[in-house]
Tab-separated table of all heavy atoms in Angstrom:
chain	number	residue	atom	x	y	z
A	23	LEU	N	113.857	-124.122	-171.917
A	23	LEU	CA	112.776	-124.170	-170.813
A	23	LEU	C	111.940	-125.374	-171.107
A	23	LEU	O	111.402	-125.627	-172.238
A	23	LEU	CB	111.908	-122.875	-170.864
A	23	LEU	CG	110.966	-122.812	-169.822
A	23	LEU	CD1	111.640	-122.319	-168.553
A	23	LEU	CD2	109.815	-121.784	-170.154
A	24	ALA	N	111.765	-126.184	-170.061
A	24	ALA	CA	110.917	-127.418	-170.176
A	24	ALA	C	109.461	-126.902	-169.891
A	24	ALA	O	109.137	-126.322	-168.862
A	24	ALA	CB	111.270	-128.406	-169.094
A	25	PHE	N	108.605	-127.124	-170.925
A	25	PHE	CA	107.219	-126.538	-170.690
A	25	PHE	C	106.213	-127.652	-170.552
A	25	PHE	O	104.999	-127.351	-170.256
A	25	PHE	CB	106.895	-125.577	-171.847
A	25	PHE	CG	106.739	-126.179	-173.232
A	25	PHE	CD1	105.512	-126.655	-173.684
A	25	PHE	CD2	107.806	-126.334	-173.978
A	25	PHE	CE1	105.427	-127.160	-174.965
A	25	PHE	CE2	107.752	-126.898	-175.257
A	25	PHE	CZ	106.521	-127.355	-175.762
A	26	LYS	N	106.580	-128.853	-170.714
A	26	LYS	CA	105.489	-129.957	-170.575
A	26	LYS	C	106.241	-131.304	-170.432
A	26	LYS	O	107.215	-131.561	-170.952
A	26	LYS	CB	104.736	-130.040	-171.878
A	26	LYS	CG	103.556	-131.078	-171.945
A	26	LYS	CD	102.826	-131.020	-173.190
A	26	LYS	CE	102.023	-132.296	-173.429
A	26	LYS	NZ	100.643	-132.163	-173.382
A	27	ILE	N	105.664	-132.084	-169.461
A	27	ILE	CA	106.199	-133.398	-169.279
A	27	ILE	C	105.093	-134.378	-169.598
A	27	ILE	O	103.953	-134.259	-169.219
A	27	ILE	CB	106.547	-133.664	-167.695
A	27	ILE	CG1	107.359	-132.476	-167.160
A	27	ILE	CG2	107.285	-134.980	-167.515
A	27	ILE	CD1	108.689	-132.191	-167.787
A	28	ALA	N	105.421	-135.384	-170.403
A	28	ALA	CA	104.416	-136.407	-170.754
A	28	ALA	C	105.031	-137.793	-170.582
A	28	ALA	O	106.152	-138.037	-170.736
A	28	ALA	CB	104.099	-136.214	-172.271
A	29	THR	N	104.194	-138.728	-170.316
A	29	THR	CA	104.550	-140.207	-170.222
A	29	THR	C	104.177	-140.932	-171.451
A	29	THR	O	103.027	-140.964	-171.854
A	29	THR	CB	103.847	-140.842	-169.061
A	29	THR	OG1	104.093	-139.996	-167.892
A	29	THR	CG2	104.446	-142.220	-168.732
A	30	ASP	N	105.142	-141.410	-172.172
A	30	ASP	CA	104.957	-142.175	-173.348
A	30	ASP	C	105.127	-143.679	-173.175
A	30	ASP	O	106.118	-144.014	-172.469
A	30	ASP	CB	105.893	-141.712	-174.516
A	30	ASP	CG	105.614	-142.395	-175.815
A	30	ASP	OD1	106.019	-143.529	-176.011
A	30	ASP	OD2	104.818	-141.746	-176.634
A	31	PRO	N	104.183	-144.500	-173.490
A	31	PRO	CA	104.273	-145.973	-173.208
A	31	PRO	C	105.581	-146.607	-173.794
A	31	PRO	O	106.026	-147.667	-173.255
A	31	PRO	CB	103.015	-146.598	-173.852
A	31	PRO	CG	102.498	-145.589	-174.742
A	31	PRO	CD	102.908	-144.224	-174.308
A	32	PHE	N	106.091	-146.045	-174.880
A	32	PHE	CA	107.269	-146.639	-175.452
A	32	PHE	C	108.625	-146.100	-175.075
A	32	PHE	O	109.555	-146.812	-174.856
A	32	PHE	CB	107.060	-146.622	-176.957
A	32	PHE	CG	105.886	-147.209	-177.495
A	32	PHE	CD1	104.857	-146.489	-178.013
A	32	PHE	CD2	105.704	-148.605	-177.331
A	32	PHE	CE1	103.610	-147.022	-178.338
A	32	PHE	CE2	104.473	-149.260	-177.769
A	32	PHE	CZ	103.390	-148.466	-178.283
A	33	VAL	N	108.712	-144.813	-174.924
A	33	VAL	CA	109.986	-144.187	-174.634
A	33	VAL	C	110.148	-143.671	-173.167
A	33	VAL	O	111.178	-143.223	-172.794
A	33	VAL	CB	110.279	-142.961	-175.606
A	33	VAL	CG1	110.393	-143.480	-176.999
A	33	VAL	CG2	109.321	-141.842	-175.520
A	34	GLY	N	108.995	-143.773	-172.338
A	34	GLY	CA	109.112	-143.297	-170.985
A	34	GLY	C	108.724	-141.851	-170.843
A	34	GLY	O	107.940	-141.312	-171.562
A	35	ARG	N	109.411	-141.216	-170.011
A	35	ARG	CA	109.152	-139.824	-169.653
A	35	ARG	C	109.796	-138.883	-170.635
A	35	ARG	O	110.980	-138.777	-170.801
A	35	ARG	CB	109.683	-139.462	-168.200
A	35	ARG	CG	109.142	-138.086	-167.787
A	35	ARG	CD	109.174	-137.948	-166.286
A	35	ARG	NE	110.568	-138.399	-165.799
A	35	ARG	CZ	110.915	-138.057	-164.582
A	35	ARG	NH1	110.143	-137.417	-163.767
A	35	ARG	NH2	112.143	-138.358	-164.203
A	36	LEU	N	108.910	-138.085	-171.330
A	36	LEU	CA	109.317	-137.203	-172.318
A	36	LEU	C	109.235	-135.732	-171.785
A	36	LEU	O	108.180	-135.407	-171.184
A	36	LEU	CB	108.431	-137.138	-173.528
A	36	LEU	CG	108.633	-138.100	-174.648
A	36	LEU	CD1	107.366	-138.145	-175.642
A	36	LEU	CD2	109.907	-137.774	-175.509
A	37	ALA	N	110.251	-134.984	-171.904
A	37	ALA	CA	110.217	-133.564	-171.454
A	37	ALA	C	110.184	-132.690	-172.739
A	37	ALA	O	111.196	-132.690	-173.549
A	37	ALA	CB	111.409	-133.125	-170.609
A	38	PHE	N	109.124	-131.962	-172.994
A	38	PHE	CA	109.034	-131.010	-174.106
A	38	PHE	C	109.772	-129.719	-173.703
A	38	PHE	O	109.594	-129.229	-172.704
A	38	PHE	CB	107.623	-130.640	-174.449
A	38	PHE	CG	106.801	-131.780	-175.101
A	38	PHE	CD1	106.510	-132.848	-174.386
A	38	PHE	CD2	106.457	-131.665	-176.443
A	38	PHE	CE1	105.709	-133.929	-174.942
A	38	PHE	CE2	105.747	-132.668	-177.034
A	38	PHE	CZ	105.378	-133.783	-176.244
A	39	PHE	N	110.640	-129.183	-174.603
A	39	PHE	CA	111.363	-128.021	-174.222
A	39	PHE	C	111.557	-127.089	-175.453
A	39	PHE	O	111.609	-127.499	-176.588
A	39	PHE	CB	112.717	-128.303	-173.547
A	39	PHE	CG	113.693	-129.146	-174.413
A	39	PHE	CD1	114.662	-128.485	-175.197
A	39	PHE	CD2	113.627	-130.477	-174.511
A	39	PHE	CE1	115.456	-129.199	-176.010
A	39	PHE	CE2	114.463	-131.197	-175.331
A	39	PHE	CZ	115.377	-130.561	-176.094
A	40	ARG	N	111.707	-125.794	-175.185
A	40	ARG	CA	112.024	-124.805	-176.200
A	40	ARG	C	113.500	-124.389	-176.017
A	40	ARG	O	113.865	-123.956	-174.923
A	40	ARG	CB	111.069	-123.636	-176.066
A	40	ARG	CG	111.515	-122.297	-176.643
A	40	ARG	CD	111.329	-122.242	-178.205
A	40	ARG	NE	112.070	-121.038	-178.713
A	40	ARG	CZ	111.421	-119.965	-179.100
A	40	ARG	NH1	110.224	-119.830	-178.927
A	40	ARG	NH2	112.241	-119.009	-179.672
A	41	VAL	N	114.265	-124.435	-177.062
A	41	VAL	CA	115.670	-124.028	-176.929
A	41	VAL	C	115.676	-122.560	-177.278
A	41	VAL	O	115.249	-122.110	-178.356
A	41	VAL	CB	116.532	-124.740	-177.944
A	41	VAL	CG1	117.990	-124.417	-177.711
A	41	VAL	CG2	116.407	-126.327	-177.764
A	42	TYR	N	116.341	-121.723	-176.389
A	42	TYR	CA	116.387	-120.310	-176.689
A	42	TYR	C	117.710	-119.932	-177.210
A	42	TYR	O	117.913	-119.012	-177.912
A	42	TYR	CB	116.093	-119.463	-175.347
A	42	TYR	CG	114.667	-119.494	-175.049
A	42	TYR	CD1	114.102	-120.344	-174.102
A	42	TYR	CD2	113.714	-118.676	-175.738
A	42	TYR	CE1	112.736	-120.447	-173.802
A	42	TYR	CE2	112.394	-118.632	-175.406
A	42	TYR	CZ	111.866	-119.562	-174.478
A	42	TYR	OH	110.542	-119.606	-174.270
A	43	SER	N	118.825	-120.664	-176.804
A	43	SER	CA	120.134	-120.350	-177.300
A	43	SER	C	120.960	-121.598	-177.357
A	43	SER	O	120.699	-122.592	-176.505
A	43	SER	CB	120.819	-119.240	-176.394
A	43	SER	OG	120.919	-119.761	-175.087
A	44	GLY	N	122.056	-121.565	-178.143
A	44	GLY	CA	123.066	-122.674	-178.162
A	44	GLY	C	122.523	-123.964	-178.872
A	44	GLY	O	121.587	-123.891	-179.609
A	45	ARG	N	123.186	-124.933	-178.583
A	45	ARG	CA	122.923	-126.217	-179.285
A	45	ARG	C	123.020	-127.371	-178.286
A	45	ARG	O	123.896	-127.426	-177.446
A	45	ARG	CB	123.913	-126.422	-180.380
A	45	ARG	CG	123.938	-127.799	-181.014
A	45	ARG	CD	125.033	-127.909	-182.129
A	45	ARG	NE	125.321	-129.340	-182.371
A	45	ARG	CZ	125.470	-129.821	-183.534
A	45	ARG	NH1	125.349	-129.044	-184.616
A	45	ARG	NH2	125.753	-131.131	-183.774
A	46	LEU	N	122.192	-128.417	-178.467
A	46	LEU	CA	122.254	-129.605	-177.582
A	46	LEU	C	122.369	-130.869	-178.322
A	46	LEU	O	121.562	-131.067	-179.276
A	46	LEU	CB	120.980	-129.613	-176.662
A	46	LEU	CG	120.759	-130.893	-175.760
A	46	LEU	CD1	121.862	-130.794	-174.652
A	46	LEU	CD2	119.401	-130.913	-175.169
A	47	ASP	N	123.376	-131.699	-178.070
A	47	ASP	CA	123.556	-132.980	-178.872
A	47	ASP	C	122.993	-134.054	-178.019
A	47	ASP	O	123.084	-134.087	-176.786
A	47	ASP	CB	125.071	-133.130	-179.050
A	47	ASP	CG	125.611	-132.215	-180.086
A	47	ASP	OD1	125.184	-132.309	-181.281
A	47	ASP	OD2	126.402	-131.313	-179.677
A	48	ALA	N	122.372	-135.010	-178.645
A	48	ALA	CA	121.888	-136.216	-177.923
A	48	ALA	C	123.116	-136.915	-177.284
A	48	ALA	O	124.216	-137.015	-177.851
A	48	ALA	CB	121.278	-137.158	-178.924
A	49	GLY	N	122.923	-137.362	-176.039
A	49	GLY	CA	123.998	-137.901	-175.271
A	49	GLY	C	124.815	-137.031	-174.483
A	49	GLY	O	125.671	-137.419	-173.734
A	50	SER	N	124.496	-135.663	-174.630
A	50	SER	CA	125.381	-134.760	-173.821
A	50	SER	C	124.736	-134.497	-172.420
A	50	SER	O	123.574	-134.908	-172.177
A	50	SER	CB	125.607	-133.525	-174.596
A	50	SER	OG	124.342	-132.906	-174.922
A	51	TYR	N	125.406	-133.675	-171.596
A	51	TYR	CA	124.945	-133.267	-170.284
A	51	TYR	C	124.388	-131.891	-170.241
A	51	TYR	O	124.894	-130.996	-170.859
A	51	TYR	CB	126.026	-133.495	-169.273
A	51	TYR	CG	126.337	-134.908	-168.888
A	51	TYR	CD1	127.198	-135.685	-169.666
A	51	TYR	CD2	125.658	-135.543	-167.865
A	51	TYR	CE1	127.555	-137.000	-169.387
A	51	TYR	CE2	125.897	-136.917	-167.556
A	51	TYR	CZ	126.856	-137.594	-168.341
A	51	TYR	OH	127.054	-138.865	-168.046
A	52	ILE	N	123.438	-131.708	-169.413
A	52	ILE	CA	122.874	-130.257	-169.180
A	52	ILE	C	122.769	-130.178	-167.634
A	52	ILE	O	122.820	-131.082	-166.836
A	52	ILE	CB	121.488	-130.028	-169.839
A	52	ILE	CG1	120.480	-131.074	-169.376
A	52	ILE	CG2	121.651	-129.968	-171.262
A	52	ILE	CD1	119.467	-130.560	-168.489
A	53	LEU	N	122.528	-128.882	-167.187
A	53	LEU	CA	122.371	-128.547	-165.818
A	53	LEU	C	120.892	-128.194	-165.597
A	53	LEU	O	120.347	-127.345	-166.337
A	53	LEU	CB	123.285	-127.378	-165.441
A	53	LEU	CG	122.962	-126.853	-163.955
A	53	LEU	CD1	123.515	-127.863	-162.960
A	53	LEU	CD2	123.741	-125.518	-163.774
């Protein structure tokens, strides 16, 4: 669940999220 969106001057738009199940690898796709 994405619970916060923040704009960072260096990396752009950051989405803070809490993972409830499974695993996410950098570079992969989500829905």
Side-chain angles (χ1 to χ4, degrees):
L23 186 78
F25 65 95
K26 177 177 163 115
I27 314 298
T29 307
D30 185 276
F32 303 108
V33 296
R35 187 161 53 164
L36 271 171
F38 288 71
F39 60 95
R40 156 80 191 258
V41 184
Y42 286 99
S43 62
R45 166 182 163 137
L46 177 67
D47 291 292
S50 58
Y51 285 88
I52 55 107
L53 173 72

